[in-house]
Coordinates of all heavy atoms in Angstrom, one line a residue:
M70 N -23.1 61.7 -21.2 CA -21.7 61.1 -21.2 C -21.2 61.0 -19.7 O -20.6 60.0 -19.5 CB -20.8 62.0 -21.9 CG -19.5 61.6 -22.2 SD -19.6 60.2 -23.3 CE -18.0 59.9 -23.8
K71 N -21.7 62.0 -18.9 CA -21.2 61.8 -17.5 C -21.9 60.6 -16.8 O -21.3 59.9 -16.0 CB -21.6 63.1 -16.7 CG -20.7 64.3 -16.9 CD -21.1 65.4 -16.0 CE -20.2 66.5 -16.2 NZ -20.5 67.7 -15.4
T72 N -23.1 60.3 -17.2 CA -23.9 59.2 -16.8 C -23.2 57.9 -17.1 O -22.9 56.9 -16.3 CB -25.3 59.1 -17.3 OG1 -25.9 60.3 -17.0 CG2 -26.1 58.0 -16.6
V73 N -22.7 57.8 -18.4 CA -22.0 56.6 -18.8 C -20.8 56.4 -18.0 O -20.3 55.4 -17.6 CB -21.8 56.5 -20.3 CG1 -20.9 55.4 -20.8 CG2 -23.1 56.6 -21.0
T74 N -19.9 57.5 -17.9 CA -18.5 57.4 -17.2 C -18.9 57.1 -15.7 O -18.2 56.2 -15.2 CB -18.0 58.8 -17.3 OG1 -17.8 59.3 -18.7 CG2 -16.6 58.8 -16.6
N75 N -19.9 57.6 -15.2 CA -20.1 57.3 -13.7 C -20.5 55.8 -13.6 O -20.2 55.2 -12.6 CB -21.2 58.3 -13.1 CG -20.7 59.6 -12.9 OD1 -19.4 59.8 -12.7 ND2 -21.6 60.6 -12.8
T76 N -21.3 55.4 -14.5 CA -21.9 54.0 -14.5 C -20.6 53.1 -14.7 O -20.4 52.0 -13.9 CB -22.8 53.7 -15.6 OG1 -23.9 54.6 -15.5 CG2 -23.3 52.3 -15.4
I77 N -19.7 53.4 -15.5 CA -18.5 52.5 -15.8 C -17.5 52.5 -14.5 O -17.2 51.5 -14.1 CB -17.7 53.1 -17.0 CG1 -18.5 52.6 -18.3 CG2 -16.3 52.3 -17.1 CD1 -17.9 53.3 -19.6
L78 N -17.4 53.7 -14.0 CA -16.6 53.9 -12.8 C -17.2 53.1 -11.6 O -16.6 52.4 -10.9 CB -16.4 55.2 -12.4 CG -15.4 56.0 -13.2 CD1 -15.4 57.6 -12.9 CD2 -14.0 55.6 -13.3
A79 N -18.5 53.1 -11.4 CA -19.3 52.3 -10.4 C -19.0 50.9 -10.6 O -18.9 50.1 -9.7 CB -20.7 52.8 -10.3
S80 N -19.2 50.5 -12.0 CA -19.0 49.0 -12.2 C -17.6 48.6 -11.8 O -17.4 47.5 -11.3 CB -19.4 48.8 -13.8 OG -20.8 49.2 -14.0
L81 N -16.7 49.3 -12.3 CA -15.2 48.9 -12.0 C -15.0 48.9 -10.6 O -14.3 48.0 -10.1 CB -14.2 49.9 -12.8 CG -14.3 49.8 -14.3 CD1 -13.4 51.0 -14.9 CD2 -13.7 48.4 -14.7
F82 N -15.5 50.0 -9.8 CA -15.3 50.0 -8.4 C -15.9 48.6 -7.7 O -15.4 48.0 -6.9 CB -16.0 51.2 -7.8 CG -15.8 51.2 -6.2 CD1 -14.4 51.5 -5.7 CD2 -16.9 51.1 -5.4 CE1 -14.3 51.6 -4.3 CE2 -16.6 51.1 -4.1 CZ -15.4 51.4 -3.4
G83 N -17.2 48.3 -8.2 CA -17.9 47.1 -7.6 C -17.0 45.8 -8.0 O -17.0 45.0 -7.1
L84 N -16.5 45.8 -9.2 CA -15.7 44.6 -9.7 C -14.5 44.5 -8.8 O -14.1 43.4 -8.5 CB -15.5 44.7 -11.1 CG -16.6 44.3 -12.0 CD1 -16.2 44.5 -13.5 CD2 -17.2 42.9 -11.8
S85 N -13.8 45.6 -8.6 CA -12.6 45.5 -7.8 C -13.0 45.0 -6.3 O -12.0 44.5 -5.8 CB -12.0 47.0 -7.8 OG -12.8 47.8 -7.0
L86 N -14.1 45.3 -5.7 CA -14.4 44.8 -4.4 C -14.7 43.4 -4.6 O -14.5 42.6 -3.6 CB -15.6 45.6 -3.9 CG -15.3 47.0 -3.5 CD1 -16.7 47.7 -3.1 CD2 -14.2 47.1 -2.4
L87 N -15.3 42.8 -5.7 CA -15.7 41.5 -5.8 C -14.5 40.6 -6.2 O -14.6 39.4 -5.9 CB -16.9 41.3 -6.7 CG -18.2 41.9 -6.4 CD1 -19.2 41.8 -7.5 CD2 -18.8 41.3 -5.1
I88 N -13.6 41.0 -7.0 CA -12.5 40.1 -7.4 C -11.7 39.6 -6.2 O -11.5 38.4 -6.4 CB -11.6 41.0 -8.4 CG1 -12.3 41.3 -9.8 CG2 -10.3 40.3 -8.6 CD1 -11.6 42.1 -10.6
P89 N -11.3 40.3 -5.2 CA -10.5 39.7 -4.2 C -11.4 38.6 -3.4 O -10.8 37.6 -3.1 CB -10.2 40.8 -3.1 CG -10.3 42.1 -4.0 CD -11.3 41.8 -5.1
A90 N -12.7 39.0 -3.4 CA -13.7 37.9 -2.6 C -13.7 36.7 -3.5 O -13.7 35.6 -3.1 CB -15.0 38.5 -2.5
S91 N -13.8 36.8 -4.8 CA -13.8 35.6 -5.8 C -12.4 35.0 -5.8 O -12.4 33.6 -5.8 CB -14.0 36.2 -7.2 OG -15.3 36.7 -7.4
A92 N -11.3 35.7 -5.7 CA -10.1 35.0 -5.6 C -9.9 34.2 -4.3 O -9.4 33.1 -4.3 CB -8.9 36.1 -5.6
N93 N -10.4 34.8 -3.2 CA -10.3 34.1 -1.9 C -11.2 32.8 -1.9 O -10.9 31.7 -1.5 CB -10.8 34.9 -0.7 CG -9.7 36.0 -0.5 OD1 -8.6 35.8 -0.7 ND2 -10.2 37.1 0.2
T94 N -12.4 32.9 -2.5 CA -13.3 31.8 -2.8 C -12.8 30.7 -3.7 O -12.8 29.5 -3.3 CB -14.6 32.2 -3.4 OG1 -15.2 33.3 -2.5 CG2 -15.6 31.2 -3.5
L95 N -12.1 31.2 -4.8 CA -11.4 30.1 -5.6 C -10.3 29.5 -4.9 O -10.0 28.3 -4.9 CB -10.9 30.8 -6.9 CG -12.0 31.2 -7.8 CD1 -11.4 32.0 -9.1 CD2 -12.7 30.1 -8.4
S96 N -9.5 30.2 -4.1 CA -8.4 29.7 -3.3 C -8.9 28.7 -2.3 O -8.3 27.7 -2.2 CB -7.7 30.8 -2.7 OG -6.6 30.3 -1.9
D97 N -9.9 29.0 -1.6 CA -10.5 28.1 -0.7 C -11.1 26.9 -1.3 O -10.8 25.7 -0.8 CB -11.7 28.9 0.1 CG -11.1 29.9 1.0 OD1 -10.0 29.9 1.3 OD2 -12.1 30.8 1.5
L98 N -11.7 27.0 -2.5 CA -12.2 25.8 -3.2 C -11.1 25.0 -3.7 O -11.2 23.7 -3.4 CB -13.1 26.2 -4.4 CG -14.5 26.8 -4.1 CD1 -15.2 27.3 -5.2 CD2 -15.4 25.8 -3.4
T99 N -10.0 25.5 -4.2 CA -8.8 24.8 -4.7 C -8.3 24.1 -3.5 O -7.8 23.0 -3.6 CB -7.9 25.7 -5.3 OG1 -8.5 26.4 -6.4 CG2 -6.7 25.0 -5.8
T100 N -8.0 24.8 -2.4 CA -7.4 24.1 -1.1 C -8.3 23.0 -0.7 O -7.9 21.8 -0.3 CB -7.3 25.2 -0.1 OG1 -6.5 26.3 -0.6 CG2 -6.7 24.6 1.2
E101 N -9.6 23.2 -0.7 CA -10.5 22.0 -0.2 C -10.5 20.9 -1.1 O -10.3 19.8 -0.7 CB -11.9 22.6 -0.3 CG -12.9 21.7 0.3 CD -14.4 22.2 0.4 OE1 -14.5 23.4 0.6 OE2 -15.3 21.4 0.2
V102 N -10.4 21.1 -2.5 CA -10.3 20.0 -3.4 C -9.0 19.2 -3.4 O -8.9 18.1 -3.3 CB -10.5 20.6 -5.0 CG1 -10.2 19.4 -5.9 CG2 -12.0 20.9 -5.1
L103 N -7.9 20.0 -3.3 CA -6.6 19.4 -3.2 C -6.4 18.6 -1.8 O -5.9 17.5 -1.7 CB -5.5 20.5 -3.2 CG -5.3 21.0 -4.5 CD1 -4.3 22.2 -4.6 CD2 -4.9 20.0 -5.6
T104 N -7.0 19.2 -0.8 CA -6.9 18.5 0.6 C -7.7 17.2 0.4 O -7.2 16.0 0.9 CB -7.5 19.3 1.7 OG1 -6.8 20.5 1.7 CG2 -7.5 18.6 3.1
K105 N -8.9 17.2 -0.1 CA -9.7 15.9 -0.3 C -9.0 14.9 -1.2 O -8.8 13.6 -0.8 CB -11.0 16.3 -1.0 CG -11.9 15.1 -1.1 CD -13.3 15.6 -1.7 CE -14.2 14.4 -1.9 NZ -15.4 14.6 -2.5
Q106 N -8.3 15.3 -2.3 CA -7.6 14.4 -3.1 C -6.4 13.9 -2.4 O -6.1 12.7 -2.6 CB -7.1 15.2 -4.4 CG -8.2 15.4 -5.3 CD -7.8 16.2 -6.6 OE1 -6.8 16.7 -6.7 NE2 -8.6 16.1 -7.7
L107 N -5.6 14.7 -1.6 CA -4.5 14.2 -0.8 C -4.9 13.1 0.2 O -4.3 12.2 0.5 CB -3.7 15.3 -0.3 CG -2.9 16.2 -1.3 CD1 -2.3 17.4 -0.5 CD2 -1.9 15.4 -1.9
T108 N -6.1 13.3 0.8 CA -6.6 12.5 1.9 C -6.9 11.1 1.2 O -6.6 10.1 1.7 CB -7.8 13.0 2.6 OG1 -7.4 14.3 3.1 CG2 -8.3 12.1 3.6
E109 N -7.6 11.2 -0.1 CA -7.8 9.9 -0.6 C -6.6 9.2 -1.2 O -6.6 8.0 -1.1 CB -8.7 10.2 -2.0 CG -10.2 10.7 -1.6 CD -10.9 11.2 -2.8 OE1 -10.5 11.1 -4.0 OE2 -12.2 11.5 -2.6
L110 N -5.6 10.0 -1.7 CA -4.4 9.4 -2.0 C -3.7 8.7 -0.8 O -3.2 7.6 -0.9 CB -3.5 10.4 -2.6 CG -2.1 9.9 -3.1 CD1 -2.2 8.9 -4.3 CD2 -1.3 11.2 -3.6
Q111 N -3.7 9.3 0.3 CA -3.1 8.9 1.5 C -3.6 7.5 1.9 O -3.1 6.5 2.1 CB -3.2 9.9 2.7 CG -2.5 9.4 4.0 CD -2.7 10.3 5.1 OE1 -3.6 11.2 5.0 NE2 -2.0 10.2 6.1
E112 N -5.0 7.5 1.8 CA -5.8 6.2 2.2 C -5.5 5.2 1.1 O -5.3 3.9 1.6 CB -7.3 6.5 2.3 CG -7.7 7.4 3.3 CD -7.4 6.8 4.7 OE1 -7.6 5.6 4.9 OE2 -7.1 7.5 5.6
S113 N -5.3 5.5 0.0 CA -5.0 4.4 -1.1 C -3.6 4.0 -0.9 O -3.5 2.7 -1.0 CB -5.1 5.2 -2.5 OG -4.7 4.2 -3.5
I114 N -2.7 4.8 -0.5 CA -1.3 4.3 -0.4 C -1.3 3.4 0.9 O -0.6 2.4 0.9 CB -0.4 5.6 -0.1 CG1 -0.2 6.2 -1.5 CG2 0.9 5.1 0.5 CD1 0.6 7.4 -1.5
K115 N -2.0 3.7 2.0 CA -2.1 3.0 3.2 C -2.6 1.6 2.9 O -2.1 0.5 3.4 CB -3.0 3.6 4.3 CG -2.3 4.7 5.1 CD -3.2 5.2 6.1 CE -2.7 6.4 6.9 NZ -3.7 6.9 7.9
N116 N -3.7 1.5 2.0 CA -4.2 0.2 1.7 C -3.4 -0.6 0.9 O -3.2 -1.9 1.1 CB -5.7 0.4 0.9 CG -6.7 0.9 1.9 OD1 -6.8 0.8 3.1 ND2 -7.6 1.6 1.3
Q117 N -2.7 0.1 -0.1 CA -1.8 -0.8 -0.9 C -0.5 -1.3 -0.2 O -0.1 -2.3 -0.4 CB -1.4 0.2 -2.1 CG -2.3 0.5 -3.1 CD -1.9 1.4 -4.2 OE1 -0.7 1.9 -4.2 NE2 -2.8 1.7 -5.2
T118 N -0.1 -0.4 0.7 CA 1.0 -0.8 1.6 C 0.5 -2.0 2.5 O 1.4 -3.0 2.6 CB 1.5 0.3 2.5 OG1 1.9 1.4 1.6 CG2 2.7 0.0 3.3
K119 N -0.5 -1.9 3.1 CA -1.1 -3.0 4.0 C -1.2 -4.3 3.1 O -0.8 -5.3 3.7 CB -2.5 -2.6 4.6 CG -3.0 -3.6 5.5 CD -4.3 -3.2 6.1 CE -5.0 -4.3 6.9 NZ -6.3 -3.8 7.4
Q120 N -1.7 -4.2 1.9 CA -1.9 -5.4 1.1 C -0.5 -6.0 0.8 O -0.4 -7.3 0.6 CB -2.7 -5.1 -0.1 CG -4.2 -4.8 0.1 CD -5.0 -4.4 -1.2 OE1 -4.3 -4.1 -2.1 NE2 -6.2 -4.3 -1.0
A121 N 0.3 -5.1 0.4 CA 1.8 -5.6 0.0 C 2.5 -6.3 1.2 O 3.1 -7.3 1.0 CB 2.5 -4.5 -0.5
I122 N 2.3 -5.8 2.3 CA 2.9 -6.3 3.6 C 2.3 -7.7 3.9 O 3.0 -8.6 4.1 CB 2.8 -5.3 4.8 CG1 3.8 -4.2 4.6 CG2 3.2 -6.1 6.1 CD1 3.5 -3.0 5.6
E123 N 1.0 -7.8 3.8 CA 0.2 -9.0 4.1 C 0.7 -10.1 3.0 O 0.9 -11.2 3.3 CB -1.2 -8.7 3.9 CG -1.8 -8.1 5.1 CD -3.2 -7.8 5.0 OE1 -3.9 -8.0 3.9 OE2 -3.8 -7.2 6.0
S124 N 0.8 -9.6 1.7 CA 1.2 -10.6 0.6 C 2.7 -11.1 0.9 O 2.9 -12.3 0.8 CB 1.1 -9.9 -0.6 OG 1.7 -10.7 -1.7
T125 N 3.6 -10.2 1.3 CA 4.9 -10.6 1.5 C 4.9 -11.5 2.8 O 5.7 -12.5 2.7 CB 5.8 -9.4 1.9 OG1 5.7 -8.5 0.7 CG2 7.1 -9.7 2.0
A126 N 4.2 -11.2 3.8 CA 4.1 -12.1 5.0 C 3.7 -13.5 4.6 O 4.3 -14.5 5.1 CB 3.3 -11.4 6.0
K127 N 2.6 -13.6 3.8 CA 2.2 -14.9 3.4 C 3.2 -15.7 2.6 O 3.4 -16.8 2.9 CB 1.0 -14.7 2.6 CG -0.4 -14.4 3.3 CD -1.6 -14.3 2.5 CE -2.8 -13.7 3.2 NZ -3.9 -13.6 2.3
Q128 N 3.9 -14.9 1.7 CA 5.0 -15.6 0.9 C 6.2 -16.1 1.8 O 6.6 -17.3 1.6 CB 5.5 -14.7 -0.2 CG 4.5 -14.4 -1.2 CD 5.0 -13.4 -2.3 OE1 6.1 -12.8 -2.0 NE2 4.3 -13.1 -3.3
L129 N 6.5 -15.2 2.7 CA 7.6 -15.6 3.6 C 7.2 -16.9 4.5 O 7.9 -17.8 4.7 CB 8.0 -14.6 4.6 CG 8.8 -13.4 3.9 CD1 8.9 -12.2 4.7 CD2 10.1 -13.9 3.3
A130 N 5.9 -16.8 4.9 CA 5.4 -17.9 5.8 C 5.4 -19.3 4.9 O 5.8 -20.3 5.5 CB 4.0 -17.5 6.3
E131 N 5.0 -19.2 3.8 CA 4.9 -20.3 2.9 C 6.4 -20.8 2.6 O 6.6 -22.1 2.7 CB 4.3 -20.0 1.6 CG 2.8 -19.8 1.6 CD 2.2 -19.4 0.4 OE1 3.0 -19.3 -0.7 OE2 1.0 -19.1 0.2
Q132 N 7.3 -20.0 2.4 CA 8.7 -20.4 2.2 C 9.2 -21.1 3.4 O 10.0 -22.0 3.3 CB 9.5 -19.2 1.7 CG 9.3 -18.8 0.3 CD 10.2 -17.6 -0.1 OE1 10.8 -17.0 0.7 NE2 10.2 -17.3 -1.3
F133 N 9.1 -20.4 4.5 CA 9.6 -20.9 5.8 C 9.0 -22.3 6.1 O 9.5 -23.1 6.7 CB 9.5 -20.0 7.0 CG 10.6 -19.0 6.9 CD1 10.3 -17.6 6.8 CD2 11.9 -19.4 7.0 CE1 11.3 -16.6 6.6 CE2 12.9 -18.4 6.9 CZ 12.6 -17.0 6.8
S134 N 7.7 -22.5 5.8 CA 6.9 -23.7 6.2 C 7.5 -24.8 5.3 O 7.5 -25.9 5.7 CB 5.5 -23.5 6.1 OG 5.1 -23.4 4.7
L135 N 7.9 -24.5 4.0 CA 8.4 -25.6 3.3 C 9.9 -25.8 3.6 O 10.2 -27.1 3.4 CB 8.4 -24.9 1.8 CG 7.1 -24.7 1.1 CD1 7.1 -24.1 -0.4 CD2 6.2 -26.1 1.1
T136 N 10.6 -24.9 4.0 CA 12.1 -25.2 4.4 C 12.3 -25.5 5.7 O 13.3 -26.2 6.1 CB 12.9 -23.9 3.9 OG1 12.4 -22.8 4.7 CG2 12.8 -23.7 2.5
A137 N 11.6 -25.0 6.7 CA 11.7 -25.3 8.1 C 10.9 -26.3 8.6 O 9.8 -26.4 8.3 CB 11.5 -24.0 9.0
A138 N 11.4 -27.3 9.3 CA 10.7 -28.3 10.0 C 10.8 -28.2 11.5 O 11.7 -27.7 12.1 CB 11.4 -29.6 9.4
T139 N 9.8 -28.7 12.1 CA 9.8 -28.7 13.5 C 10.7 -29.9 14.1 O 11.0 -30.7 13.4 CB 8.3 -29.0 14.0 OG1 7.9 -30.4 13.7 CG2 7.4 -28.0 13.6
P140 N 11.2 -29.8 15.3 CA 12.1 -30.8 15.8 C 11.5 -32.2 15.7 O 12.1 -33.2 15.4 CB 12.2 -30.4 17.2 CG 12.0 -28.9 17.3 CD 11.0 -28.6 16.2
A141 N 10.2 -32.3 15.9 CA 9.5 -33.6 15.7 C 9.6 -34.1 14.3 O 9.8 -35.3 14.1 CB 8.1 -33.6 16.2
Q142 N 9.4 -33.3 13.4 CA 9.6 -33.7 11.9 C 10.9 -34.0 11.6 O 11.3 -35.0 11.0 CB 9.2 -32.6 11.1 CG 7.6 -32.2 11.1 CD 7.3 -31.0 10.2 OE1 8.1 -30.0 10.1 NE2 6.1 -31.0 9.7
L143 N 11.9 -33.3 12.2 CA 13.4 -33.6 11.9 C 13.7 -35.0 12.5 O 14.6 -35.7 11.9 CB 14.3 -32.6 12.5 CG 14.3 -31.1 11.9 CD1 15.1 -30.2 12.5 CD2 14.7 -31.3 10.4
S144 N 13.3 -35.2 13.8 CA 13.5 -36.5 14.4 C 12.9 -37.7 13.6 O 13.5 -38.7 13.5 CB 12.9 -36.5 15.8 OG 13.0 -37.8 16.4
S145 N 11.6 -37.5 13.2 CA 10.9 -38.5 12.4 C 11.6 -38.8 11.0 O 11.9 -39.9 10.7 CB 9.5 -38.0 12.1 OG 8.9 -38.9 11.3
N146 N 12.1 -37.5 10.4 CA 12.8 -37.8 9.2 C 14.2 -38.4 9.4 O 14.5 -39.4 8.6 CB 13.2 -36.4 8.5 CG 11.8 -35.8 7.9 OD1 10.9 -36.5 7.8 ND2 11.8 -34.6 7.7
A147 N 15.0 -38.1 10.5 CA 16.2 -38.8 10.8 C 16.0 -40.3 11.0 O 16.8 -41.1 10.6 CB 16.8 -38.1 12.0
Q148 N 14.9 -40.6 11.8 CA 14.6 -42.0 12.2 C 14.3 -42.8 10.8 O 14.8 -43.9 10.6 CB 13.5 -42.1 13.1 CG 13.3 -43.6 13.5 CD 14.5 -44.2 14.2 OE1 15.0 -43.4 15.0 NE2 14.7 -45.4 14.0
A149 N 13.6 -42.2 9.9 CA 13.3 -42.8 8.6 C 14.5 -43.0 7.8 O 14.6 -44.1 7.2 CB 12.3 -42.0 7.9
V150 N 15.3 -42.1 7.7 CA 16.6 -42.2 7.0 C 17.5 -43.3 7.6 O 18.1 -44.2 6.8 CB 17.4 -40.9 6.9 CG1 18.8 -41.0 6.4 CG2 16.5 -39.9 6.1
A151 N 17.5 -43.3 9.0 CA 18.3 -44.3 9.6 C 17.8 -45.7 9.3 O 18.5 -46.8 9.1 CB 18.4 -44.1 11.2
D152 N 16.5 -45.8 9.4 CA 15.9 -47.2 9.0 C 16.1 -47.6 7.7 O 16.3 -48.8 7.3 CB 14.3 -47.1 9.3 CG 13.9 -46.9 10.8 OD1 14.9 -47.2 11.7 OD2 12.8 -46.6 11.1
K153 N 16.0 -46.6 6.8 CA 16.3 -47.0 5.3 C 17.8 -47.3 5.1 O 18.1 -48.4 4.5 CB 16.0 -45.7 4.6 CG 16.1 -46.0 3.0 CD 15.7 -44.8 2.2 CE 15.9 -45.1 0.8 NZ 15.5 -44.0 -0.1
V154 N 18.7 -46.7 5.7 CA 20.1 -47.1 5.6 C 20.3 -48.4 6.2 O 21.0 -49.3 5.7 CB 21.0 -46.0 6.2 CG1 22.5 -46.5 6.4 CG2 20.9 -44.7 5.5
Q155 N 19.6 -48.6 7.3 CA 19.9 -50.0 8.0 C 19.2 -51.1 7.2 O 19.9 -52.2 7.0 CB 19.3 -49.9 9.5 CG 19.5 -51.1 10.3 CD 18.9 -51.0 11.7 OE1 18.1 -50.2 11.9 NE2 19.4 -51.9 12.5
A156 N 18.2 -50.8 6.6 CA 17.6 -51.8 5.8 C 18.4 -52.2 4.6 O 18.5 -53.2 4.1 CB 16.2 -51.4 5.4
E157 N 19.1 -51.1 4.0 CA 19.9 -51.3 2.8 C 21.2 -52.0 3.2 O 21.7 -52.8 2.4 CB 20.3 -50.0 2.3 CG 19.1 -49.3 1.5 CD 19.4 -47.9 0.9 OE1 20.6 -47.5 1.2 OE2 18.5 -47.4 0.2
E158 N 21.7 -51.8 4.4 CA 22.9 -52.4 4.9 C 22.7 -54.0 5.3 O 23.5 -54.7 5.2 CB 23.5 -51.6 6.0 CG 24.2 -50.3 5.4 CD 24.8 -49.6 6.7 OE1 24.7 -50.0 7.8 OE2 25.2 -48.5 6.3
S159 N 21.5 -54.2 5.8 CA 21.3 -55.6 6.3 C 21.5 -56.7 5.3 O 22.1 -57.6 5.5 CB 19.9 -55.6 6.9 OG 19.7 -54.8 8.1
P160 N 20.9 -56.4 4.1 CA 21.0 -57.6 3.0 C 22.5 -57.7 2.7 O 23.1 -58.7 2.2 CB 20.2 -57.1 1.8 CG 19.2 -56.1 2.4 CD 19.9 -55.5 3.6
Q161 N 23.3 -56.6 2.6 CA 24.7 -56.5 2.2 C 25.5 -57.4 3.3 O 26.4 -58.2 2.9 CB 25.3 -55.3 2.1 CG 24.7 -54.5 0.9 CD 25.3 -53.1 0.7 OE1 25.9 -52.6 1.6 NE2 24.9 -52.3 -0.3
A162 N 25.2 -57.2 4.6 CA 25.8 -57.8 5.7 C 25.6 -59.4 5.6 O 26.5 -60.1 5.9 CB 25.4 -57.3 7.0
E163 N 24.4 -59.8 5.2 CA 24.0 -61.0 5.1 C 24.7 -61.8 4.0 O 25.1 -63.0 4.1 CB 22.5 -61.4 4.9 CG 21.7 -60.9 6.2 CD 20.2 -61.0 6.0 OE1 19.8 -61.4 5.0 OE2 19.6 -60.6 6.9
E164 N 25.0 -61.0 2.9 CA 25.6 -61.6 1.7 C 27.1 -62.0 2.1 O 27.7 -62.9 1.5 CB 25.5 -60.7 0.5 CG 24.1 -60.6 -0.1 CD 24.0 -59.6 -1.1 OE1 25.1 -59.0 -1.6 OE2 22.8 -59.3 -1.6
E165 N 27.8 -61.2 2.8 CA 29.2 -61.3 3.2 C 29.3 -62.3 4.2 O 29.5 -63.4 4.5 CB 29.7 -60.0 3.7 CG 29.7 -58.9 2.8 CD 30.3 -57.7 3.5 OE1 30.7 -57.5 4.6 OE2 30.2 -56.6 2.7

């Protein structure tokens, strides 16, 4: 009976020494896994943000290219409108 009791006490003592080591190992593994996942998440967010900014910039560039005209284009359009108006008024002036 003493042998069994001594064996149980020795086993419990050995386990009590190993449990904190296991807890530290588990804690380190958990920290390592979480750090890796957070790093991957950060990279994913960076990539998504970059794509969203590029997409928005393209859309804005398209909108401004459709609505904004260069001074040369404005001058050309103004001249075309003036020519059209003058052409429409010329036959009327001849009729009067």
Side-chain angles (χ1 to χ4, degrees):
M70 190 66 170
K71 284 185 176 182
T72 307
V73 173
T74 304
N75 288 338
T76 305
I77 291 173
L78 288 174
S80 297
L81 289 174
F82 180 73
L84 284 174
S85 68
L86 293 175
L87 292 177
I88 288 175
S91 296
N93 287 339
T94 303
L95 290 175
S96 177
D97 290 345
L98 288 174
T99 304
T100 302
E101 185 178 327
V102 168
L103 289 176
T104 302
K105 183 178 178 182
Q106 288 180 343
L107 287 173
T108 303
E109 290 175 0
L110 180 62
Q111 181 183 17
E112 290 299 319
S113 174
I114 290 171
K115 281 183 182 178
N116 289 336
Q117 289 176 359
T118 303
K119 182 179 177 183
Q120 290 173 351
I122 289 172
E123 288 174 352
S124 174
T125 303
K127 285 180 184 178
Q128 289 176 355
L129 288 173
E131 288 174 3
Q132 285 181 346
F133 281 117
S134 69
L135 293 176
T136 58
T139 64
Q142 289 174 330
L143 291 174
S144 175
S145 173
N146 290 344
Q148 185 63 40
V150 170
D152 291 344
K153 184 176 179 181
V154 169
Q155 189 177 17
E157 289 175 357
E158 290 178 356
S159 293
Q161 290 176 357
E163 290 176 5
E164 289 176 5
E165 294 176 5

